Amino acid sequence: MTTIETARHWRDHDPDPSTRATLTELIDAAEAGDDAAAEELASRFGGPLTFGTAGLRGEVGAGESRMNVAVVTRATAGLARYLLDTVGPDARVVVGCDARHGSAEFFDVATDVLAAQGFTVFALPPRLPTPVTAHATRSLGCDAGVMITASHNPPADNGYKVYLGGRATDDAGRGVQIISPADADIADRIAQAPPADEVPRDPAAVIHLDDEVVRTYIERTAGLRTDPDLSPVRVVLTPLHGVGGSVARDVLRAAGIGDMHVVSAQSDPDPDFPTVPFPNPEEPGALDLALALASDVDADVVIALDPDADRCSVATPGPDGHWRQLTGDEIGGLLGEQAARDSTRPGDTLASSIVSSRMLGRIAADHGLRFAATLTGFKWIARTPGLRFGYEEAIGYCTDPDTVRDKDGIGAMVRVISLVEELARDGRTLTDELDRLARRHGLHATAPMTIRVEDTALIGKMMGRLRSTSIDHLAGSPVVEKLDLAHGSADLPPTDGILLRTAADDRVVVRPSGTEPKLKCYLEVVLDCPDGVVPRAEAAHRLDALGADIAAVLEV
């Protein structure tokens, strides 16, 4: 079929009058010779939105390449078929959603379609953090969980994340995001699903839950702080216009952390994210309002949650009085050390992704614990046997695997504040603890380098150039290891990435993003601390040199 024929067929089976009207307008204009309309149709029908280990994620709009009611309907029909085939007609599923554009409509579609199959379908209260859905998948004994969210993607995007649990997976994967082959099996069934208007829906059969599951999550997460006395820590919190604010505040109050100051302009959910250029706590400028408030109230720590509250960023006052946002690896080291010395926690293993700092491995060894390096993403980290703590450098932390087998920004928030409180009793700060870890294990300094592209084909070309180019030196040190991660190993499945290591023990990992059109480079240098001096300036210089050398190879 031509693009117009494909668009017309899709339009005729689109159950949403809004997106149907958009397509009608584009089709009519394209047939009348409007080149811009024809190009827009080609973009919307360049192939279906791909379902993978991240589920679905894309721009909200009309057409098979966008997030819309028709796409979510067919995706849910495919998931339902998968559950029928692997679990049976008595499957149990829980569904949650954030507050992005389209989330409420997609939430209704997902619950209705699943219920029409005869499953027991639990609908969480609307506009909740992703960790609550992950928690509910395990606590309700569900065979699957669906979360409607695009996490920290741009405002125009939305997504569809799938967890498996119960009888649909083994114990290691219970309440964890899907991996292969489940993703491919579900994708195959989506491809075989009927047109969206032919998929049955049964809203009357959906079980709408009250706040009990949320209360259970709040009580458990608040309990991560074990001190019965009120906390003296003064906290500034921003949920960045996402859905984490209300639950995070309830958790802080229940934990006895009452001296909190929320950034009012960012406290309520708003899918347009009006005060930030990009709704990701790691992006420049995202914490400006929080840092200004922290200075005004003389706070002890700043906590920033991403829009679905599964990630947590931290800022701390430095010795010079200026606020400094910690890197994801610095937070990972702090929380890893905290977990390693807490023998009351279940599990004997610390885990991080291969693109995260190698510091966690040294911390684990120092405490006689196991360490596991996994592929990027919590679908791998959370499957680690005996997991006590896991993290990835993109500010994702799993600090209570028995409750949430995924990254959880709110749980990480409680752990960080507890650490600030503990250190303050000895007159120390997060910065002091980072310096202590550097003196004991070496300064592990890391930095990301991101290359955004309009044409995703450029990513493949850059990866090809990296694979074919002989790289002798990086930052002045000979390259002693070049590992193509696409070949896999005894410890890791294959993935698209290149790892480079130098004689100086500098390391670079380059890989395409799994959720956005960009190439990501992860830089790390490791330096000794002679005479106890932590050489941060030298590390920054080495990181700059590493980045410049890799950029030259990639020709960017």
Side-chain angles (χ1 to χ4, degrees):
M1 289 193 292
T2 66
T3 298
I4 288 180
E5 289 171 337
T6 300
R8 188 182 294 114
H9 180 268
W10 181 276
R11 186 271 317 273
D12 292 345
H13 292 281
D14 188 338
D16 184 343
S18 174
T19 48
R20 198 165 59 239
T22 298
L23 292 177
T24 296
E25 183 178 344
L26 285 171
I27 291 167
D28 290 347
E31 288 181 320
D34 186 329
D35 291 341
E39 185 176 339
E40 182 64 22
L41 275 182
S43 170
R44 294 170 184 262
F45 291 92
L49 197 60
T50 302
F51 186 93
T53 51
L56 296 170
R57 199 172 288 189
E59 184 179 346
V60 175
E64 67 175 2
S65 304
R66 301 287 191 268
M67 282 293 295
N68 51 64
V69 166
V71 165
V72 171
T73 299
R74 298 187 72 249
T76 308
L79 173 62
R81 183 71 258 174
Y82 175 82
L83 292 173
L84 283 169
D85 293 343
T86 57
V87 176
D90 60 341
R92 294 163 60 90
V93 189
V94 63
V95 183
C97 71
D98 66 10
R100 282 179 173 266
H101 292 296
S103 284
E105 295 82 0
F106 304 160
F107 174 79
D108 288 342
V109 168
T111 54
D112 294 356
V113 170
L114 291 164
Q117 297 299 320
F119 301 155
T120 299
V121 178
F122 301 107
L124 288 168
R127 296 154 64 110
L128 285 174
T130 291
V132 174
T133 301
H135 159 66
T137 303
R138 288 172 61 85
S139 67
L140 297 174
C142 289
D143 301 297
V146 175
M147 180 65 190
I148 307 297
T149 182
S151 189
H152 57 283
N153 269 41
D157 289 359
N158 211 326
Y160 184 103
K161 178 186 289 191
V162 177
Y163 298 93
L164 292 181
R167 296 160 292 171
T169 185
D170 58 12
D171 185 62
R174 198 152 290 136
V176 185
Q177 296 174 54
I178 56 172
I179 58 171
S180 180
D183 57 344
D185 291 343
I186 295 170
D188 288 344
R189 288 162 174 81
I190 293 171
Q192 298 165 18
D197 62 342
E198 298 175 13
V199 174
R201 297 177 59 171
D202 187 359
V206 177
I207 301 170
H208 290 271
L209 298 175
D210 59 19
D211 290 334
E212 179 60 28
V213 173
V214 184
R215 286 196 296 271
T216 301
Y217 169 82
I218 289 170
E219 291 170 5
R220 171 70 186 221
T221 307
L224 300 180
R225 178 179 180 265
T226 56
D227 192 327
D229 296 329
L230 292 177
S231 173
V233 177
R234 181 168 298 161
V235 181
V236 163
L237 169 69
T238 175
L240 284 185
H241 302 292
V243 293
S246 177
V247 174
R249 289 193 293 271
D250 288 345
V251 166
L252 288 173
R253 282 189 287 264
I257 304 168
D259 193 354
M260 71 176 105
H261 302 260
V262 182
V263 178
S264 58
Q266 299 172 335
S267 64
D268 296 326
D270 187 330
D272 293 320
F273 306 103
T275 69
V276 291
F278 197 94
N280 181 348
E282 294 183 291
E283 292 289 325
L287 266 62
D288 285 356
L289 293 180
L291 296 178
L293 178 59
S295 295
D296 289 344
V297 302
D298 193 23
D300 298 305
V301 67
V302 168
I303 301 290
L305 304 174
D306 77 334
D308 68 329
D310 66 348
R311 300 171 192 252
C312 173
S313 188
V314 177
T316 184
D320 58 0
H322 291 95
W323 283 86
R324 182 171 80 88
Q325 185 174 0
L326 303 183
T327 69
D329 283 317
E330 288 176 325
I331 301 168
L334 291 168
L335 293 179
E337 172 70 12
Q338 181 191 49
R341 55 183 168 74
D342 185 353
S343 60
T344 66
R345 296 200 204 179
D348 63 353
T349 304
L350 309 184
S352 61
S353 63
I354 56 172
V355 300
S356 301
S357 171
R358 290 164 286 173
M359 167 77 87
L360 192 65
R362 297 194 180 186
I363 290 173
D366 194 38
H367 291 273
L369 298 174
R370 300 175 187 272
F371 171 72
T374 76
L375 294 185
T376 304
F378 268 84
K379 57 184 176 284
W380 301 109
I381 296 169
R383 280 183 163 77
T384 302
L387 183 66
R388 181 183 294 190
F389 168 76
Y391 94 96
E392 62 182 5
E393 52 75 41
I395 58 173
Y397 311 96
C398 178
T399 72
D400 185 18
D402 286 349
T403 302
V404 177
R405 196 63 66 91
D406 196 3
K407 53 188 177 293
D408 180 357
I410 297 174
M413 169 190 73
V414 176
R415 297 288 197 190
V416 167
I417 294 169
S418 298
L419 180 58
V420 170
E421 184 176 351
E422 176 189 339
L423 292 168
R425 294 192 195 106
D426 297 328
R428 302 172 62 234
T429 66
L430 295 179
T431 301
D432 293 330
E433 178 68 351
L434 286 170
D435 287 348
R436 185 188 72 80
L437 290 173
R439 294 184 186 102
R440 185 165 186 83
H441 303 296
L443 174 61
H444 289 61
T446 61
M449 186 174 78
T450 299
I451 303 164
R452 295 183 181 273
V453 298
E454 293 291 333
D455 180 5
T456 54
L458 294 175
I459 294 176
K461 292 178 180 178
M462 285 188 285
M463 289 300 296
R465 192 175 302 125
L466 191 60
R467 285 186 166 98
S468 62
T469 302
S470 176
I471 305 172
D472 298 324
H473 289 77
L474 289 172
S477 179
V479 173
V480 296
E481 181 180 21
K482 182 178 182 181
L483 184 62
D484 191 339
L485 301 176
H487 301 315
S489 68
D491 300 318
L492 295 172
T495 189
D496 188 8
I498 297 289
L499 182 150
L500 300 159
R501 188 173 60 83
T502 72
D505 207 22
D506 298 338
R507 190 190 67 171
V508 179
V509 182
V510 184
R511 59 177 284 272
S513 169
T515 56
E516 298 177 78
K518 60 188 183 184
L519 188 70
K520 302 184 76 172
C521 307
Y522 305 85
L523 317 176
E524 181 179 35
V525 302
V526 182
L527 298 175
D528 291 332
C529 300
D531 303 319
V533 177
V534 181
R536 298 193 183 279
E538 181 184 349
H541 176 74
R542 284 263 291 276
L543 286 170
D544 287 344
L546 269 183
D549 287 350
I550 287 295
V553 174
L554 296 173
E555 298 181 9
V556 294

